[in-house]
Amino acid sequence: MAGIRLSGLASGIDTETMIKQLMQAERAPVDRLSQKKQTMTWQRDAYREMNRGLLDLRSAASDMLLSKNYLSKTVTSSNPSVVTVTASAGAPAGSVTIDSVDKLASASSLTISQGTAKLTSKTQLKDSQLVGIDSTTKKINLELQTYAADGSGTPNKVTLQLDETATIDDLVTQINSSKELGLSAVFNELTGKLVLSRQATGKLSEGEGIVWIDKNASALTTPPTRVVKDGNNASYTMGGTQLEQTSNTFVQNGLTVTLNDVTDKQVTLTTNLDTQANFDSIKKFVDKYNDMVDKMNKKVREEKYRDYQPLTDAQRKELSEDEVKKWEEKAMSGVLKNDSYLRDGMNDFRSTLSAKIDTGYTIPSASGPVALSSLSQIGITSTSDFRDGGKIKLDEAKLKEMLEKHPDGVYRLFTADAPAKIKQADGTEIDNPNGLSGFARQIQTFTTNLRDKISNVAGRDGSVATTYRLGKSLADIDKSMLTWEDKLKRKEDSYYRRFAAMEQAMNQANSQSATLAGYLGQG
């Protein structure tokens, strides 16, 4: 019966309830620690939520360093069935004409066959007569060689050694799995022919495209037939000049051109700046920037309800699920109110919108060239309402106009590197006062710095508690709570012992009283 407490039998007092009430008062320090732990946990989680948003913004800023977001081009072909084309950011705007496509590129191939023999992909190599078998090892010893695209240099060599019971299908698999050879092997069961083709197209200037060396060829009753087909270069005419390419897909002046068919008619490729796509890239970044600023601003301005502390376990049991939810929404509110890290971060962000950026780019005006050095010149400013926390206001018409007329300038406003430091007469260096890095680079730097500061306080997802400040504090609270729980256990046991002693004394008194009453009754 160990651990079972029987109380109040002699005194009639509900000692169990009385001890619980006494312990409830004793638990006040533990409840305060638990509430403090919960508040710090909410604070940590809120910080980490900010850090995840900052990481997304930093990734977006890194992507905005790419020229494709400002100089993207659209390109069309007047005859896509003959020529298809895509454009890189570096492709010049304008039109080019391909006068004719005379020949498509093809790959060299080697066909191996054995007369009219009935072969299938499951025919064993010893029965195929396509390759000889070593009488001792019962294996094939086949060396394949392929040359570089221009036929020069040392050939790639691969030796295949398969058992005589391996099938033609096994041989095909071995050839295709060899990256060094760069071959595609196919066995055609209708014709009984094994065809090896180079994956790379083009005509070789010297040497064979594919070399088949069967070192056990003498073991064959009838040597197989080998048919070599040379590869061809693609041939086309531009501006009256005939040109050749080893592949049907090639890059020329920033255009990736694919020849699909021959033609004697002109095909025109027209390249234009894709202003809408470039605008959309910047708009997407601005939206992400505004979303992050909005999240930070709401956390800094969020109302703090000081009368709503985290619920204790006892309080939680007295409330309904809906009441708990509503209470905790207010208790969680304001955990980062007026947070200095977020305030400083928003100030840094705001500073980028008015910073002078050294782009080295000028735009013409009636009074002469004007340096392009401010985001406001391309329609990017901060909103006039200070409660927005420094969100961006976008003049879409102005930005599109600048992307149309000065895409390189817009690109530099976002991506320019900070000017080199200035060396003074005494040899020391100071920051160049004439400009800062581009907008995207500054945001990249500020988000990185802010993430590091927050991580020192709240860690990152999966961080060990001892590596960040709040984690250490939470660990200390856990230790204190364990100490207090041990004290409370001893205190509770002490109360039970005292009440048990009282019950025992009262029980003895009652027994003595009953005995005395018995004696008196006899007299």
Side-chain angles (χ1 to χ4, degrees):
M1 301 296 290
I4 298 178
R5 294 161 170 168
L6 300 175
S7 58
L9 295 179
S11 65
I13 299 173
D14 186 356
T15 56
E16 190 77 27
T17 300
M18 186 175 293
I19 290 174
K20 284 183 178 179
Q21 291 172 345
L22 288 169
M23 290 305 300
Q24 187 174 352
E26 296 283 357
R27 288 194 63 84
V30 179
D31 289 340
R32 286 194 293 271
L33 284 172
S34 178
Q35 289 174 318
K36 184 177 180 181
K37 177 183 176 181
Q38 183 61 75
T39 299
M40 292 174 69
T41 300
W42 285 337
Q43 189 178 39
R44 180 200 64 190
D45 293 345
Y47 269 133
R48 289 185 177 181
E49 180 188 354
M50 293 297 101
N51 248 0
R52 287 190 288 271
L54 288 168
L55 178 60
D56 286 343
L57 180 57
R58 187 179 71 181
S59 298
S62 297
D63 184 66
M64 289 304 292
L65 299 178
L66 303 176
S67 61
K68 67 180 179 68
N69 294 303
Y70 314 88
L71 307 172
S72 179
K73 307 293 197 310
T74 59
V75 59
T76 58
S77 167
S78 62
N79 191 345
S81 64
V82 174
V83 181
T84 52
V85 60
T86 60
S88 69
S95 298
V96 294
T97 299
I98 296 177
D99 300 323
S100 63
V101 179
D102 309 309
K103 187 188 297 182
L104 296 180
S106 62
S108 60
S109 65
L110 172 64
T111 301
I112 307 294
S113 61
Q114 186 51 266
T116 58
K118 299 282 187 178
L119 302 179
T120 72
S121 61
K122 300 304 179 185
T123 300
Q124 294 184 349
L125 296 179
K126 65 179 180 178
D127 301 324
S128 70
Q129 288 291 298
L130 293 177
V131 60
I133 306 296
D134 185 282
S135 59
T136 303
T137 64
K138 303 300 182 183
K139 294 179 180 291
I140 70 167
N141 193 350
L142 176 64
E143 182 181 290
L144 295 177
Q145 298 180 7
T146 55
Y147 289 79
D150 61 358
S152 63
T154 304
N156 295 315
K157 299 180 181 181
V158 172
T159 299
L160 306 179
Q161 292 184 319
L162 294 169
D163 292 334
E164 64 177 358
T165 55
T167 64
I168 293 176
D169 195 32
D170 294 330
L171 177 60
V172 168
T173 299
Q174 282 252 340
I175 295 172
N176 288 335
S177 64
S178 173
K179 294 181 180 179
E180 297 91 338
L181 291 173
L183 295 176
S184 294
V186 175
F187 180 75
N188 189 323
E189 294 199 351
L190 294 176
T191 62
K193 295 179 179 180
L194 175 63
V195 181
L196 280 61
S197 302
R198 285 172 56 90
Q199 293 171 356
T201 57
K203 183 177 182 179
L204 303 181
S205 58
E206 59 179 273
E208 293 183 80
I210 306 168
V211 178
W212 173 289
I213 302 175
D214 183 357
K215 296 182 180 180
N216 297 322
S218 59
L220 292 169
T221 303
T222 304
T225 301
R226 303 182 195 176
V227 177
V228 176
K229 181 181 178 182
D230 292 334
N232 290 313
N233 289 339
S235 176
Y236 60 102
T237 304
M238 289 183 69
T241 301
Q242 190 173 53
L243 303 171
E244 289 192 0
Q245 302 284 350
T246 58
S247 171
N248 288 317
T249 299
F250 53 90
V251 177
Q252 187 166 318
N253 294 330
L255 299 178
T256 300
V257 179
T258 299
L259 305 179
N260 302 314
D261 202 354
V262 295
T263 183
D264 58 0
K265 295 181 173 56
Q266 289 186 342
V267 179
T268 301
L269 311 178
T270 304
T271 306
N272 292 303
L273 197 65
D274 193 346
T275 302
Q276 185 61 48
N278 297 326
F279 171 82
D280 290 342
S281 295
I282 295 176
K283 177 76 163 51
K284 182 179 178 182
F285 177 64
V286 167
D287 288 344
K288 188 171 286 291
Y289 171 94
N290 281 343
D291 181 60
M292 189 65 231
V293 169
D294 190 50
K295 288 178 180 178
M296 294 166 67
N297 190 39
K298 284 180 179 177
K299 284 296 181 185
V300 169
R301 293 176 174 272
E302 195 172 47
E303 186 67 33
K304 179 68 175 176
Y305 299 95
R306 300 192 181 279
D307 293 335
Y308 287 80
Q309 295 300 314
L311 294 169
T312 64
D313 290 340
Q315 291 170 334
R316 190 182 296 272
K317 290 177 182 178
E318 295 174 1
L319 300 176
S320 68
E321 186 176 335
D322 186 56
E323 287 173 329
V324 169
K325 181 180 178 181
K326 290 179 179 178
W327 182 283
E328 290 193 336
E329 283 177 356
K330 296 212 170 194
M332 292 173 64
S333 179
V335 290
L336 296 181
K337 184 175 178 62
N338 291 324
D339 182 78
S340 60
Y341 293 126
L342 298 186
R343 285 204 317 267
D344 291 346
M346 287 191 293
N347 287 336
D348 285 338
F349 286 177
R350 277 194 293 268
S351 71
T352 64
L353 299 179
S354 57
K356 181 181 179 183
I357 299 170
D358 186 13
T359 64
Y361 189 92
T362 59
I363 53 179
S365 71
S367 57
V370 175
L372 183 60
S373 60
S374 171
L375 290 171
S376 62
Q377 292 173 277
I378 64 170
I380 296 177
T381 57
S382 60
T383 59
S384 57
D385 191 342
F386 74 93
R387 291 172 297 183
D388 285 342
K391 291 168 69 172
I392 287 176
K393 178 183 177 182
L394 198 60
D395 185 333
E396 297 190 3
K398 190 171 185 178
L399 178 56
K400 286 181 179 179
E401 179 185 4
M402 292 299 290
L403 282 168
E404 185 70 38
K405 295 180 178 178
H406 306 286
D408 286 318
V410 177
Y411 171 51
R412 294 186 196 182
L413 272 175
F414 275 77
T415 65
D417 281 314
K421 291 181 178 293
I422 298 174
K423 182 172 286 188
Q424 301 185 102
D426 61 0
T428 60
E429 291 186 339
I430 62 172
D431 289 334
N432 190 327
N434 294 323
L436 297 170
S437 296
F439 179 49
R441 289 193 188 278
Q442 289 188 65
I443 295 301
Q444 190 181 46
T445 299
F446 291 149
T447 50
T448 298
N449 293 341
L450 183 52
R451 271 177 55 79
D452 289 343
K453 290 176 182 177
I454 290 176
S455 296
N456 288 335
V457 177
R460 296 177 184 175
D461 293 329
S463 294
V464 177
T466 55
T467 61
Y468 58 95
R469 197 169 74 208
L470 280 175
K472 294 175 184 176
S473 298
L474 287 168
D476 289 341
I477 289 176
D478 283 337
K479 290 178 183 178
S480 297
M481 289 178 69
L482 286 173
T483 301
W484 269 102
E485 290 291 351
D486 189 50
K487 289 180 181 179
L488 291 174
K489 180 66 170 64
R490 293 198 299 270
K491 190 74 172 179
E492 186 179 43
D493 289 342
S494 173
Y495 280 134
Y496 273 108
R497 285 195 300 271
R498 292 178 186 179
F499 276 102
M502 180 191 74
E503 291 288 336
Q504 186 176 6
M506 292 187 70
N507 191 45
Q508 289 175 349
N510 290 338
S511 177
Q512 291 171 354
S513 177
T515 301
L516 181 59
Y519 286 144
L520 292 174
Q522 291 177 1

